[in-house]
Amino acid sequence: MARFTRAIYPGSFDPPTNGHLDLIARGTRIFDELIVAVLRNPEKHPLFSLEERIEMLREVTAPLGKVQVEAFEGLLVDYAAERDASVILRGIRAISDYEYELQMALMNRKLNPRIETVFMTAAESYSYISSRLVKEVHLLGGDIKDLVPAVVQQRLKAKVPV
Ligand code: PNS
């Protein structure tokens, strides 16, 4: 019998990039439903507020269907269990991501062995993109047109005119 699988794609998304969007799009081809879960992380002083990050993600994922965008706080595995999700989806860009991701996956498995972490490799063309570098390049006057969805570029320009 086919099983309905709901996956959670968690992150800070400060801001969402084309790499995130690519992973979300590919995730929707594998899972029945994908919840993009945005971390409420005021202690990290994100550039975009939680509401802004959610708005941008909702806008860019709307054409995909099957995607919900929500905020979460506390332990990711508790949130996943609450939402009846059996999979945590994470993207891996390079070997350097792997160590941190492995550590998180193992900790999450220890906390709740019924939730499986699934890694997807980033598309080559997006493998160098990170939210941190996008912000840095923009702040220093570089062109981020090919790195983020248009709405994110507009919001970045509005927030940090350069
Ligand atoms: O995009 P990011 O910032 O790398 O995402 C990190 C995230 C949100 C997946 C991670 O910080 C997280 O899961 N935070 C929730 C708190 C938690 O569950 N911590 C234990 C995980 S090992």
Side-chain angles (χ1 to χ4, degrees):
M1 193 180 74
R3 233 183 84 180
F4 180 93
T5 306
R6 179 179 292 128
I8 301 246
Y9 179 49
S12 304
F13 305 107
D14 185 40
T17 67
N18 284 345
H20 293 131
L21 195 56
D22 172 63
L23 212 86
I24 294 168
R26 287 193 286 128
T28 61
R29 287 182 221 132
I30 298 178
F31 302 109
D32 299 298
E33 192 178 291
L34 194 63
I35 299 179
V36 178
V38 186
L39 180 66
R40 184 187 294 277
N41 51 352
E43 68 291 341
K44 275 197 185 172
H45 304 292
L47 178 64
F48 289 96
S49 70
L50 181 67
E51 292 68 30
E52 289 173 317
R53 287 177 277 154
I54 289 178
E55 272 170 29
M56 288 187 279
L57 280 162
R58 288 208 172 125
E59 188 169 335
V60 297
T61 59
L64 297 172
K66 279 189 184 184
V67 179
Q68 294 185 50
V69 184
E70 299 177 0
F72 85 103
E73 57 192 326
L75 279 181
L76 176 60
V77 286
D78 289 350
Y79 172 72
E82 223 173 82
R83 299 295 284 108
D84 217 8
S86 53
V87 169
I88 293 171
L89 175 65
R90 290 288 286 173
I92 298 229
R93 290 164 299 192
I95 287 289
S96 49
D97 283 340
Y98 183 71
E99 237 172 285
Y100 171 60
E101 294 297 333
L102 177 67
Q103 200 181 8
M104 279 208 297
L106 294 177
M107 180 61 82
N108 284 332
R109 184 186 290 154
K110 168 77 183 151
L111 294 168
N112 187 338
R114 295 191 315 158
I115 297 173
E116 204 60 62
T117 297
V118 171
F119 294 129
M120 277 175 66
T121 49
E124 294 153 56
S125 45
Y126 300 129
S127 61
Y128 61 94
I129 303 178
S130 69
S131 299
R132 185 181 63 80
L133 281 183
V134 163
K135 284 183 283 195
E136 186 172 318
V137 170
H138 174 70
L139 289 173
L140 297 173
D143 186 3
I144 54 159
K145 167 169 65 63
D146 296 334
L147 312 180
V148 294
V151 60
V152 176
Q153 187 184 15
Q154 286 154 16
R155 293 252 191 161
L156 259 172
K157 277 186 178 162
K159 195 172 271 291
V160 191
V162 284

